[in-house]
Amino acid sequence: MEEVKNDEKVENVKEDKIDPLKAAEIVDQERKERIAKCSQEIMAVLKKYNCDFDVTMVLGQNRILPSIQVISK
């Protein structure tokens, strides 16, 4: 897929060059790819230093409060 900057994508949608639904799908796919890449890099660093995540959730009034800590194995 050809790399197009987000500003160009917005302009293309405004000028009706790209279907808005297709543009949203492209942006969503790119976001998922960035998240996957970040996750891989984070997990590689945790593994390198023999660490892990400790994740807990506290249920508050009308909200969930996550607590994420890096811990040594």
Side-chain angles (χ1 to χ4, degrees):
M1 177 164 56
E2 123 185 13
E3 187 172 332
V4 180
K5 296 185 183 213
N6 282 335
D7 293 341
E8 286 181 51
K9 289 177 189 169
V10 170
E11 287 303 315
N12 287 341
V13 170
K14 286 180 183 175
E15 296 173 10
D16 293 325
K17 292 181 182 176
I18 299 176
D19 175 44
L21 184 57
K22 180 68 174 169
E25 289 172 359
I26 292 169
V27 169
D28 186 53
Q29 181 61 35
E30 290 173 349
R31 180 186 62 80
K32 288 177 182 177
E33 289 170 3
R34 287 192 312 273
I35 289 171
K37 182 66 176 168
C38 288
S39 294
Q40 288 173 350
E41 291 181 16
I42 290 168
M43 294 311 294
V45 170
L46 290 172
K47 185 176 179 179
K48 178 179 177 180
Y49 293 102
N50 199 27
C51 294
D52 205 352
F53 282 130
D54 178 43
V55 180
T56 57
M57 300 288 185
V58 177
L59 300 177
Q61 213 172 22
N62 297 323
R63 60 181 151 169
I64 298 173
L65 305 171
S67 173
I68 303 171
Q69 297 179 355
V70 176
I71 58 171
S72 178
K73 288 183 180 181

